[in-house]
Amino acid sequence: MIASVSDILPLVLPHVPGCRDDFASMAVRTAIREFLARSEVWQKTLTAINLVASTQAYDLNPDTSAGDEPEIRRVVWAQRTTATSSTGPVIDHRIYTLVGKVASPYYQFRFHDDHIPTASVTSGLTVKVVLVPQENTDTVPDFELTRWVDGIAAKAAAYLKQMPGRRWTDLAGVAIQEDKFRREVASAVKTRIVGHKNVSLTMQGGRWI
């Protein structure tokens, strides 16, 4: 099980002989962010939120067990529950906005003016989001690190190999590692969409089908 950045270093350092651990660790953290941002495999359905009449904005709390609060990249879907406990359809994405904040929690779900709740409902709003760790943190589920460690390690190696004037600089090797990274991202996207990666997908109208 891969549980931290240090667990990934043995997969990176052999590709960049002489590289210091601190350089490699920074590259791994950057690679984790890029892999998860591109693949969107780290998703979470947040704890249901109480709707309050005439209240437009609601804090979104990723509620991770440790480390810094991750970034919310986008809302996958949102759903409202009525006062009669009837779960409604997925909310049209055109009637709300994901808004950043200065203080934690750093994101809010904001209804547009014409769609502000008119009644208070306990646990009336459920939101699923795409998460990406903050820079220089290790707040990523062990499962995601373990499952996609090869792609993450490849991207980290690519970052390091393109550093100029180092013993491990290898511009030809960058292309090899980048290709591996892209293939792993594609596999992750397939897995996210259909549940496994042994399937062919094509892009149509900006969406994978």
Side-chain angles (χ1 to χ4, degrees), residues 64-111:
T64 52
S65 59
D68 293 332
E69 179 184 332
E71 295 179 17
I72 296 178
R73 279 301 173 99
R74 70 178 181 91
V75 173
V76 179
W77 53 257
Q79 200 165 26
R80 288 174 69 168
T81 300
T82 67
T84 59
S85 298
S86 174
T87 301
V90 171
I91 303 172
D92 189 325
H93 67 89
R94 291 171 295 184
I95 72 168
Y96 63 81
T97 304
L98 179 65
V99 180
K101 293 173 52 190
V102 175
S104 179
Y106 295 109
Y107 298 89
Q108 282 187 332
F109 182 100
R110 183 183 295 271
F111 287 101

mmCIF file of all heavy atoms in Angstrom, residues 64-111:
data_model
loop_
_atom_site.group_PDB
_atom_site.id
_atom_site.type_symbol
_atom_site.label_atom_id
_atom_site.label_comp_id
_atom_site.label_asym_id
_atom_site.label_seq_id
_atom_site.Cartn_x
_atom_site.Cartn_y
_atom_site.Cartn_z
ATOM 1 N N THR A 64 -11.651 15.655 5.120
ATOM 2 C CA THR A 64 -10.614 14.635 5.051
ATOM 3 C C THR A 64 -10.112 14.331 6.451
ATOM 4 O O THR A 64 -10.168 15.150 7.352
ATOM 5 C CB THR A 64 -9.443 15.102 4.175
ATOM 6 O OG1 THR A 64 -9.000 16.388 4.636
ATOM 7 C CG2 THR A 64 -9.889 15.221 2.724
ATOM 8 N N SER A 65 -9.588 13.134 6.626
ATOM 9 C CA SER A 65 -9.220 12.667 7.969
ATOM 10 C C SER A 65 -7.960 13.325 8.503
ATOM 11 O O SER A 65 -7.760 13.390 9.709
ATOM 12 C CB SER A 65 -9.041 11.145 7.952
ATOM 13 O OG SER A 65 -8.037 10.781 7.023
ATOM 14 N N ALA A 66 -7.083 13.786 7.615
ATOM 15 C CA ALA A 66 -5.831 14.390 8.087
ATOM 16 C C ALA A 66 -5.277 15.305 7.008
ATOM 17 O O ALA A 66 -5.639 15.210 5.838
ATOM 18 C CB ALA A 66 -4.814 13.304 8.417
ATOM 19 N N GLY A 67 -4.397 16.210 7.404
ATOM 20 C CA GLY A 67 -3.740 17.064 6.435
ATOM 21 C C GLY A 67 -4.561 18.276 6.059
ATOM 22 O O GLY A 67 -5.622 18.543 6.609
ATOM 23 N N ASP A 68 -4.030 19.041 5.103
ATOM 24 C CA ASP A 68 -4.691 20.268 4.679
ATOM 25 C C ASP A 68 -5.926 19.960 3.841
ATOM 26 O O ASP A 68 -5.989 18.963 3.131
ATOM 27 C CB ASP A 68 -3.721 21.117 3.851
ATOM 28 C CG ASP A 68 -2.559 21.632 4.685
ATOM 29 O OD1 ASP A 68 -2.755 21.797 5.906
ATOM 30 O OD2 ASP A 68 -1.483 21.867 4.125
ATOM 31 N N GLU A 69 -6.879 20.867 3.909
ATOM 32 C CA GLU A 69 -8.115 20.719 3.141
ATOM 33 C C GLU A 69 -7.799 20.716 1.647
ATOM 34 O O GLU A 69 -7.137 21.619 1.143
ATOM 35 C CB GLU A 69 -9.038 21.887 3.472
ATOM 36 C CG GLU A 69 -10.355 21.877 2.721
ATOM 37 C CD GLU A 69 -11.184 23.112 3.036
ATOM 38 O OE1 GLU A 69 -11.031 23.664 4.149
ATOM 39 O OE2 GLU A 69 -11.968 23.528 2.173
ATOM 40 N N PRO A 70 -8.241 19.709 0.895
ATOM 41 C CA PRO A 70 -7.936 19.670 -0.540
ATOM 42 C C PRO A 70 -8.734 20.689 -1.320
ATOM 43 O O PRO A 70 -9.732 21.232 -0.848
ATOM 44 C CB PRO A 70 -8.337 18.238 -0.936
ATOM 45 C CG PRO A 70 -9.396 17.860 0.052
ATOM 46 C CD PRO A 70 -9.021 18.539 1.336
ATOM 47 N N GLU A 71 -8.289 20.948 -2.536
ATOM 48 C CA GLU A 71 -9.031 21.812 -3.446
ATOM 49 C C GLU A 71 -10.234 21.058 -4.003
ATOM 50 O O GLU A 71 -10.161 19.860 -4.267
ATOM 51 C CB GLU A 71 -8.149 22.235 -4.620
ATOM 52 C CG GLU A 71 -6.971 23.102 -4.252
ATOM 53 C CD GLU A 71 -6.143 23.451 -5.474
ATOM 54 O OE1 GLU A 71 -6.656 23.294 -6.608
ATOM 55 O OE2 GLU A 71 -4.995 23.879 -5.300
ATOM 56 N N ILE A 72 -11.325 21.781 -4.177
ATOM 57 C CA ILE A 72 -12.471 21.240 -4.917
ATOM 58 C C ILE A 72 -12.367 21.781 -6.335
ATOM 59 O O ILE A 72 -12.482 22.981 -6.559
ATOM 60 C CB ILE A 72 -13.805 21.647 -4.269
ATOM 61 C CG1 ILE A 72 -13.918 21.036 -2.869
ATOM 62 C CG2 ILE A 72 -14.977 21.200 -5.143
ATOM 63 C CD1 ILE A 72 -15.187 21.417 -2.129
ATOM 64 N N ARG A 73 -12.130 20.894 -7.308
ATOM 65 C CA ARG A 73 -11.947 21.321 -8.686
ATOM 66 C C ARG A 73 -13.276 21.614 -9.370
ATOM 67 O O ARG A 73 -13.374 22.532 -10.177
ATOM 68 C CB ARG A 73 -11.160 20.268 -9.463
ATOM 69 C CG ARG A 73 -9.657 20.345 -9.250
ATOM 70 C CD ARG A 73 -9.151 21.717 -9.673
ATOM 71 N NE ARG A 73 -7.760 21.916 -9.351
ATOM 72 C CZ ARG A 73 -6.769 21.766 -10.235
ATOM 73 N NH1 ARG A 73 -7.044 21.391 -11.475
ATOM 74 N NH2 ARG A 73 -5.533 22.000 -9.887
ATOM 75 N N ARG A 74 -14.270 20.788 -9.109
ATOM 76 C CA ARG A 74 -15.582 21.036 -9.711
ATOM 77 C C ARG A 74 -16.632 20.198 -8.997
ATOM 78 O O ARG A 74 -16.307 19.255 -8.264
ATOM 79 C CB ARG A 74 -15.587 20.713 -11.208
ATOM 80 C CG ARG A 74 -15.480 19.244 -11.568
ATOM 81 C CD ARG A 74 -15.538 19.048 -13.076
ATOM 82 N NE ARG A 74 -15.454 17.643 -13.449
ATOM 83 C CZ ARG A 74 -16.516 16.845 -13.609
ATOM 84 N NH1 ARG A 74 -17.740 17.321 -13.421
ATOM 85 N NH2 ARG A 74 -16.372 15.573 -13.958
ATOM 86 N N VAL A 75 -17.884 20.552 -9.216
ATOM 87 C CA VAL A 75 -19.012 19.770 -8.711
ATOM 88 C C VAL A 75 -19.381 18.747 -9.783
ATOM 89 O O VAL A 75 -19.634 19.109 -10.934
ATOM 90 C CB VAL A 75 -20.214 20.684 -8.395
ATOM 91 C CG1 VAL A 75 -21.443 19.838 -8.028
ATOM 92 C CG2 VAL A 75 -19.872 21.641 -7.264
ATOM 93 N N VAL A 76 -19.399 17.466 -9.411
ATOM 94 C CA VAL A 76 -19.801 16.408 -10.342
ATOM 95 C C VAL A 76 -21.314 16.425 -10.510
ATOM 96 O O VAL A 76 -21.844 16.404 -11.616
ATOM 97 C CB VAL A 76 -19.327 15.034 -9.842
ATOM 98 C CG1 VAL A 76 -19.759 13.915 -10.804
ATOM 99 C CG2 VAL A 76 -17.811 15.023 -9.659
ATOM 100 N N TRP A 77 -22.017 16.442 -9.370
ATOM 101 C CA TRP A 77 -23.470 16.589 -9.380
ATOM 102 C C TRP A 77 -23.930 17.090 -8.019
ATOM 103 O O TRP A 77 -23.205 16.991 -7.032
ATOM 104 C CB TRP A 77 -24.193 15.285 -9.739
ATOM 105 C CG TRP A 77 -23.838 14.062 -8.941
ATOM 106 C CD1 TRP A 77 -23.045 13.030 -9.327
ATOM 107 C CD2 TRP A 77 -24.279 13.729 -7.608
ATOM 108 N NE1 TRP A 77 -22.951 12.081 -8.331
ATOM 109 C CE2 TRP A 77 -23.707 12.476 -7.270
ATOM 110 C CE3 TRP A 77 -25.096 14.360 -6.666
ATOM 111 C CZ2 TRP A 77 -23.913 11.857 -6.032
ATOM 112 C CZ3 TRP A 77 -25.314 13.746 -5.429
ATOM 113 C CH2 TRP A 77 -24.716 12.504 -5.130
ATOM 114 N N ALA A 78 -25.125 17.637 -8.013
ATOM 115 C CA ALA A 78 -25.749 18.081 -6.769
ATOM 116 C C ALA A 78 -27.219 17.676 -6.805
ATOM 117 O O ALA A 78 -27.843 17.636 -7.868
ATOM 118 C CB ALA A 78 -25.621 19.591 -6.602
ATOM 119 N N GLN A 79 -27.773 17.379 -5.626
ATOM 120 C CA GLN A 79 -29.153 16.897 -5.547
ATOM 121 C C GLN A 79 -29.823 17.500 -4.317
ATOM 122 O O GLN A 79 -29.210 17.613 -3.254
ATOM 123 C CB GLN A 79 -29.151 15.368 -5.448
ATOM 124 C CG GLN A 79 -30.446 14.697 -5.826
ATOM 125 C CD GLN A 79 -30.247 13.202 -6.060
ATOM 126 O OE1 GLN A 79 -29.332 12.593 -5.519
ATOM 127 N NE2 GLN A 79 -31.109 12.605 -6.860
ATOM 128 N N ARG A 80 -31.083 17.901 -4.501
ATOM 129 C CA ARG A 80 -31.847 18.475 -3.393
ATOM 130 C C ARG A 80 -32.889 17.490 -2.904
ATOM 131 O O ARG A 80 -33.426 16.683 -3.669
ATOM 132 C CB ARG A 80 -32.540 19.764 -3.843
ATOM 133 C CG ARG A 80 -31.585 20.907 -4.046
ATOM 134 C CD ARG A 80 -32.267 22.133 -4.621
ATOM 135 N NE ARG A 80 -33.182 22.766 -3.682
ATOM 136 C CZ ARG A 80 -33.709 23.976 -3.881
ATOM 137 N NH1 ARG A 80 -33.396 24.650 -4.973
ATOM 138 N NH2 ARG A 80 -34.518 24.494 -3.004
ATOM 139 N N THR A 81 -33.175 17.575 -1.602
ATOM 140 C CA THR A 81 -34.244 16.801 -0.982
ATOM 141 C C THR A 81 -35.315 17.771 -0.510
ATOM 142 O O THR A 81 -35.008 18.813 0.071
ATOM 143 C CB THR A 81 -33.714 15.983 0.218
ATOM 144 O OG1 THR A 81 -32.700 15.101 -0.244
ATOM 145 C CG2 THR A 81 -34.820 15.179 0.871
ATOM 146 N N THR A 82 -36.568 17.431 -0.747
ATOM 147 C CA THR A 82 -37.669 18.326 -0.374
ATOM 148 C C THR A 82 -38.024 18.156 1.088
ATOM 149 O O THR A 82 -37.541 17.257 1.783
ATOM 150 C CB THR A 82 -38.904 18.039 -1.235
ATOM 151 O OG1 THR A 82 -39.408 16.735 -0.905
ATOM 152 C CG2 THR A 82 -38.558 18.085 -2.710
ATOM 153 N N ALA A 83 -38.910 19.026 1.559
ATOM 154 C CA ALA A 83 -39.343 18.970 2.955
ATOM 155 C C ALA A 83 -40.071 17.670 3.280
ATOM 156 O O ALA A 83 -40.181 17.279 4.447
ATOM 157 C CB ALA A 83 -40.243 20.166 3.259
ATOM 158 N N THR A 84 -40.569 16.988 2.270
ATOM 159 C CA THR A 84 -41.273 15.714 2.487
ATOM 160 C C THR A 84 -40.330 14.522 2.379
ATOM 161 O O THR A 84 -40.761 13.381 2.266
ATOM 162 C CB THR A 84 -42.399 15.552 1.454
ATOM 163 O OG1 THR A 84 -41.849 15.597 0.131
ATOM 164 C CG2 THR A 84 -43.434 16.654 1.607
ATOM 165 N N SER A 85 -39.012 14.810 2.393
ATOM 166 C CA SER A 85 -37.967 13.773 2.329
ATOM 167 C C SER A 85 -37.941 13.049 0.988
ATOM 168 O O SER A 85 -37.444 11.926 0.892
ATOM 169 C CB SER A 85 -38.140 12.755 3.466
ATOM 170 O OG SER A 85 -38.014 13.386 4.714
ATOM 171 N N SER A 86 -38.467 13.674 -0.035
ATOM 172 C CA SER A 86 -38.417 13.097 -1.376
ATOM 173 C C SER A 86 -37.181 13.617 -2.100
ATOM 174 O O SER A 86 -37.008 14.828 -2.247
ATOM 175 C CB SER A 86 -39.673 13.476 -2.164
ATOM 176 O OG SER A 86 -39.574 13.038 -3.492
ATOM 177 N N THR A 87 -36.319 12.704 -2.511
ATOM 178 C CA THR A 87 -35.098 13.098 -3.205
ATOM 179 C C THR A 87 -35.423 13.494 -4.634
ATOM 180 O O THR A 87 -36.006 12.717 -5.383
ATOM 181 C CB THR A 87 -34.077 11.948 -3.211
ATOM 182 O OG1 THR A 87 -33.781 11.591 -1.863
ATOM 183 C CG2 THR A 87 -32.798 12.369 -3.918
ATOM 184 N N GLY A 88 -35.060 14.703 -4.986
ATOM 185 C CA GLY A 88 -35.365 15.208 -6.314
ATOM 186 C C GLY A 88 -34.314 14.818 -7.333
ATOM 187 O O GLY A 88 -33.336 14.141 -7.017
ATOM 188 N N PRO A 89 -34.490 15.247 -8.578
ATOM 189 C CA PRO A 89 -33.516 14.945 -9.625
ATOM 190 C C PRO A 89 -32.221 15.720 -9.406
ATOM 191 O O PRO A 89 -32.166 16.648 -8.589
ATOM 192 C CB PRO A 89 -34.233 15.411 -10.896
ATOM 193 C CG PRO A 89 -35.158 16.489 -10.428
ATOM 194 C CD PRO A 89 -35.612 16.048 -9.061
ATOM 195 N N VAL A 90 -31.189 15.329 -10.125
ATOM 196 C CA VAL A 90 -29.924 16.063 -10.066
ATOM 197 C C VAL A 90 -30.166 17.506 -10.509
ATOM 198 O O VAL A 90 -30.877 17.765 -11.477
ATOM 199 C CB VAL A 90 -28.886 15.385 -10.984
ATOM 200 C CG1 VAL A 90 -27.633 16.240 -11.107
ATOM 201 C CG2 VAL A 90 -28.541 14.003 -10.454
ATOM 202 N N ILE A 91 -29.593 18.439 -9.777
ATOM 203 C CA ILE A 91 -29.807 19.861 -10.037
ATOM 204 C C ILE A 91 -29.097 20.271 -11.318
ATOM 205 O O ILE A 91 -27.939 19.913 -11.547
ATOM 206 C CB ILE A 91 -29.287 20.707 -8.859
ATOM 207 C CG1 ILE A 91 -29.971 20.293 -7.553
ATOM 208 C CG2 ILE A 91 -29.487 22.193 -9.114
ATOM 209 C CD1 ILE A 91 -29.373 20.943 -6.321
ATOM 210 N N ASP A 92 -29.776 21.033 -12.143
ATOM 211 C CA ASP A 92 -29.188 21.567 -13.370
ATOM 212 C C ASP A 92 -27.967 22.410 -13.004
ATOM 213 O O ASP A 92 -28.057 23.339 -12.182
ATOM 214 C CB ASP A 92 -30.227 22.434 -14.088
ATOM 215 C CG ASP A 92 -29.781 22.852 -15.484
ATOM 216 O OD1 ASP A 92 -28.573 23.079 -15.684
ATOM 217 O OD2 ASP A 92 -30.655 22.967 -16.370
ATOM 218 N N HIS A 93 -26.827 22.102 -13.604
ATOM 219 C CA HIS A 93 -25.586 22.802 -13.253
ATOM 220 C C HIS A 93 -25.634 24.280 -13.598
ATOM 221 O O HIS A 93 -24.798 25.071 -13.131
ATOM 222 C CB HIS A 93 -24.390 22.148 -13.953
ATOM 223 C CG HIS A 93 -24.402 22.301 -15.447
ATOM 224 N ND1 HIS A 93 -23.833 23.380 -16.082
ATOM 225 C CD2 HIS A 93 -24.932 21.521 -16.423
ATOM 226 C CE1 HIS A 93 -24.009 23.256 -17.385
ATOM 227 N NE2 HIS A 93 -24.668 22.145 -17.626
ATOM 228 N N ARG A 94 -26.610 24.696 -14.385
ATOM 229 C CA ARG A 94 -26.692 26.106 -14.775
ATOM 230 C C ARG A 94 -27.316 26.979 -13.698
ATOM 231 O O ARG A 94 -27.346 28.211 -13.845
ATOM 232 C CB ARG A 94 -27.490 26.233 -16.071
ATOM 233 C CG ARG A 94 -26.767 25.647 -17.297
ATOM 234 C CD ARG A 94 -27.671 25.596 -18.504
ATOM 235 N NE ARG A 94 -28.791 24.667 -18.303
ATOM 236 C CZ ARG A 94 -29.701 24.383 -19.240
ATOM 237 N NH1 ARG A 94 -29.626 24.975 -20.424
ATOM 238 N NH2 ARG A 94 -30.675 23.531 -18.986
ATOM 239 N N ILE A 95 -27.813 26.397 -12.605
ATOM 240 C CA ILE A 95 -28.470 27.222 -11.584
ATOM 241 C C ILE A 95 -27.631 27.364 -10.312
ATOM 242 O O ILE A 95 -28.094 27.873 -9.307
ATOM 243 C CB ILE A 95 -29.873 26.678 -11.232
ATOM 244 C CG1 ILE A 95 -29.790 25.383 -10.412
ATOM 245 C CG2 ILE A 95 -30.703 26.474 -12.488
ATOM 246 C CD1 ILE A 95 -31.120 24.980 -9.803
ATOM 247 N N TYR A 96 -26.370 26.919 -10.367
ATOM 248 C CA TYR A 96 -25.500 27.102 -9.204
ATOM 249 C C TYR A 96 -24.068 27.329 -9.670
ATOM 250 O O TYR A 96 -23.709 27.073 -10.827
ATOM 251 C CB TYR A 96 -25.566 25.907 -8.254
ATOM 252 C CG TYR A 96 -25.087 24.598 -8.838
ATOM 253 C CD1 TYR A 96 -23.729 24.282 -8.910
ATOM 254 C CD2 TYR A 96 -25.991 23.659 -9.323
ATOM 255 C CE1 TYR A 96 -23.291 23.084 -9.446
ATOM 256 C CE2 TYR A 96 -25.563 22.457 -9.861
ATOM 257 C CZ TYR A 96 -24.207 22.174 -9.921
ATOM 258 O OH TYR A 96 -23.781 20.985 -10.454
ATOM 259 N N THR A 97 -23.236 27.814 -8.752
ATOM 260 C CA THR A 97 -21.832 28.099 -9.043
ATOM 261 C C THR A 97 -20.976 27.625 -7.880
ATOM 262 O O THR A 97 -21.379 27.741 -6.715
ATOM 263 C CB THR A 97 -21.617 29.619 -9.249
ATOM 264 O OG1 THR A 97 -22.489 30.082 -10.282
ATOM 265 C CG2 THR A 97 -20.177 29.918 -9.631
ATOM 266 N N LEU A 98 -19.784 27.091 -8.181
ATOM 267 C CA LEU A 98 -18.787 26.778 -7.164
ATOM 268 C C LEU A 98 -17.954 28.028 -6.939
ATOM 269 O O LEU A 98 -17.351 28.563 -7.875
ATOM 270 C CB LEU A 98 -17.904 25.619 -7.635
ATOM 271 C CG LEU A 98 -16.781 25.184 -6.677
ATOM 272 C CD1 LEU A 98 -17.365 24.613 -5.393
ATOM 273 C CD2 LEU A 98 -15.873 24.157 -7.350
ATOM 274 N N VAL A 99 -17.922 28.503 -5.686
ATOM 275 C CA VAL A 99 -17.283 29.779 -5.368
ATOM 276 C C VAL A 99 -16.144 29.552 -4.376
ATOM 277 O O VAL A 99 -16.289 28.818 -3.400
ATOM 278 C CB VAL A 99 -18.307 30.766 -4.764
ATOM 279 C CG1 VAL A 99 -17.639 32.099 -4.440
ATOM 280 C CG2 VAL A 99 -19.472 30.967 -5.717
ATOM 281 N N GLY A 100 -15.006 30.201 -4.638
ATOM 282 C CA GLY A 100 -13.878 30.121 -3.720
ATOM 283 C C GLY A 100 -14.009 31.113 -2.577
ATOM 284 O O GLY A 100 -14.655 32.155 -2.706
ATOM 285 N N LYS A 101 -13.388 30.771 -1.429
ATOM 286 C CA LYS A 101 -13.393 31.629 -0.246
ATOM 287 C C LYS A 101 -11.963 31.846 0.241
ATOM 288 O O LYS A 101 -11.057 31.091 -0.103
ATOM 289 C CB LYS A 101 -14.212 30.985 0.880
ATOM 290 C CG LYS A 101 -15.697 30.855 0.628
ATOM 291 C CD LYS A 101 -16.343 30.038 1.748
ATOM 292 C CE LYS A 101 -15.989 30.566 3.130
ATOM 293 N NZ LYS A 101 -16.413 29.648 4.204
ATOM 294 N N VAL A 102 -11.785 32.849 1.088
ATOM 295 C CA VAL A 102 -10.465 33.133 1.644
ATOM 296 C C VAL A 102 -10.152 32.212 2.809
ATOM 297 O O VAL A 102 -9.025 31.761 2.989
ATOM 298 C CB VAL A 102 -10.372 34.607 2.090
ATOM 299 C CG1 VAL A 102 -9.045 34.882 2.788
ATOM 300 C CG2 VAL A 102 -10.552 35.537 0.897
ATOM 301 N N ALA A 103 -11.153 31.901 3.633
ATOM 302 C CA ALA A 103 -10.940 31.097 4.836
ATOM 303 C C ALA A 103 -11.557 29.708 4.678
ATOM 304 O O ALA A 103 -12.443 29.484 3.854
ATOM 305 C CB ALA A 103 -11.552 31.800 6.050
ATOM 306 N N SER A 104 -11.080 28.769 5.493
ATOM 307 C CA SER A 104 -11.601 27.401 5.466
ATOM 308 C C SER A 104 -13.003 27.343 6.086
ATOM 309 O O SER A 104 -13.270 28.030 7.075
ATOM 310 C CB SER A 104 -10.663 26.483 6.253
ATOM 311 O OG SER A 104 -11.145 25.161 6.262
ATOM 312 N N PRO A 105 -13.895 26.517 5.515
ATOM 313 C CA PRO A 105 -13.743 25.777 4.259
ATOM 314 C C PRO A 105 -13.693 26.710 3.057
ATOM 315 O O PRO A 105 -14.407 27.709 3.014
ATOM 316 C CB PRO A 105 -14.974 24.874 4.237
ATOM 317 C CG PRO A 105 -15.982 25.576 5.081
ATOM 318 C CD PRO A 105 -15.211 26.274 6.158
ATOM 319 N N TYR A 106 -12.853 26.362 2.090
ATOM 320 C CA TYR A 106 -12.474 27.303 1.049
ATOM 321 C C TYR A 106 -13.435 27.372 -0.141
ATOM 322 O O TYR A 106 -13.192 28.131 -1.081
ATOM 323 C CB TYR A 106 -11.075 26.958 0.543
ATOM 324 C CG TYR A 106 -10.014 27.133 1.600
ATOM 325 C CD1 TYR A 106 -9.391 26.029 2.172
ATOM 326 C CD2 TYR A 106 -9.658 28.397 2.040
ATOM 327 C CE1 TYR A 106 -8.421 26.190 3.156
ATOM 328 C CE2 TYR A 106 -8.686 28.570 3.015
ATOM 329 C CZ TYR A 106 -8.069 27.459 3.575
ATOM 330 O OH TYR A 106 -7.118 27.623 4.552
ATOM 331 N N TYR A 107 -14.501 26.578 -0.096
ATOM 332 C CA TYR A 107 -15.406 26.562 -1.243
ATOM 333 C C TYR A 107 -16.858 26.608 -0.781
ATOM 334 O O TYR A 107 -17.207 26.086 0.281
ATOM 335 C CB TYR A 107 -15.169 25.317 -2.103
ATOM 336 C CG TYR A 107 -13.777 25.279 -2.672
ATOM 337 C CD1 TYR A 107 -12.736 24.676 -1.967
ATOM 338 C CD2 TYR A 107 -13.485 25.877 -3.887
ATOM 339 C CE1 TYR A 107 -11.444 24.675 -2.472
ATOM 340 C CE2 TYR A 107 -12.206 25.881 -4.401
ATOM 341 C CZ TYR A 107 -11.185 25.276 -3.686
ATOM 342 O OH TYR A 107 -9.914 25.282 -4.174
ATOM 343 N N GLN A 108 -17.691 27.250 -1.611
ATOM 344 C CA GLN A 108 -19.117 27.330 -1.352
ATOM 345 C C GLN A 108 -19.893 26.903 -2.594
ATOM 346 O O GLN A 108 -19.458 27.118 -3.724
ATOM 347 C CB GLN A 108 -19.540 28.752 -0.980
ATOM 348 C CG GLN A 108 -19.237 29.164 0.437
ATOM 349 C CD GLN A 108 -19.841 30.523 0.756
ATOM 350 O OE1 GLN A 108 -20.017 31.366 -0.116
ATOM 351 N NE2 GLN A 108 -20.177 30.736 2.014
ATOM 352 N N PHE A 109 -21.045 26.319 -2.319
ATOM 353 C CA PHE A 109 -22.029 26.024 -3.354
ATOM 354 C C PHE A 109 -23.024 27.171 -3.316
ATOM 355 O O PHE A 109 -23.692 27.392 -2.306
ATOM 356 C CB PHE A 109 -22.712 24.695 -3.020
ATOM 357 C CG PHE A 109 -23.732 24.227 -4.023
ATOM 358 C CD1 PHE A 109 -23.406 23.267 -4.966
ATOM 359 C CD2 PHE A 109 -25.028 24.721 -3.995
ATOM 360 C CE1 PHE A 109 -24.354 22.824 -5.879
ATOM 361 C CE2 PHE A 109 -25.974 24.290 -4.904
ATOM 362 C CZ PHE A 109 -25.640 23.330 -5.845
ATOM 363 N N ARG A 110 -23.129 27.932 -4.412
ATOM 364 C CA ARG A 110 -23.972 29.131 -4.420
ATOM 365 C C ARG A 110 -25.078 28.993 -5.475
ATOM 366 O O ARG A 110 -24.799 28.856 -6.669
ATOM 367 C CB ARG A 110 -23.137 30.380 -4.697
ATOM 368 C CG ARG A 110 -23.921 31.694 -4.655
ATOM 369 C CD ARG A 110 -23.016 32.866 -5.014
ATOM 370 N NE ARG A 110 -21.972 33.051 -4.040
ATOM 371 C CZ ARG A 110 -22.081 33.803 -2.943
ATOM 372 N NH1 ARG A 110 -23.217 34.463 -2.716
ATOM 373 N NH2 ARG A 110 -21.089 33.926 -2.103
ATOM 374 N N PHE A 111 -26.334 29.020 -5.005
ATOM 375 C CA PHE A 111 -27.471 29.022 -5.936
ATOM 376 C C PHE A 111 -27.554 30.364 -6.644
ATOM 377 O O PHE A 111 -27.272 31.408 -6.046
ATOM 378 C CB PHE A 111 -28.785 28.775 -5.183
ATOM 379 C CG PHE A 111 -28.973 27.360 -4.714
ATOM 380 C CD1 PHE A 111 -28.733 27.017 -3.385
ATOM 381 C CD2 PHE A 111 -29.401 26.372 -5.588
ATOM 382 C CE1 PHE A 111 -28.913 25.723 -2.942
ATOM 383 C CE2 PHE A 111 -29.591 25.075 -5.155
ATOM 384 C CZ PHE A 111 -29.347 24.739 -3.824
#
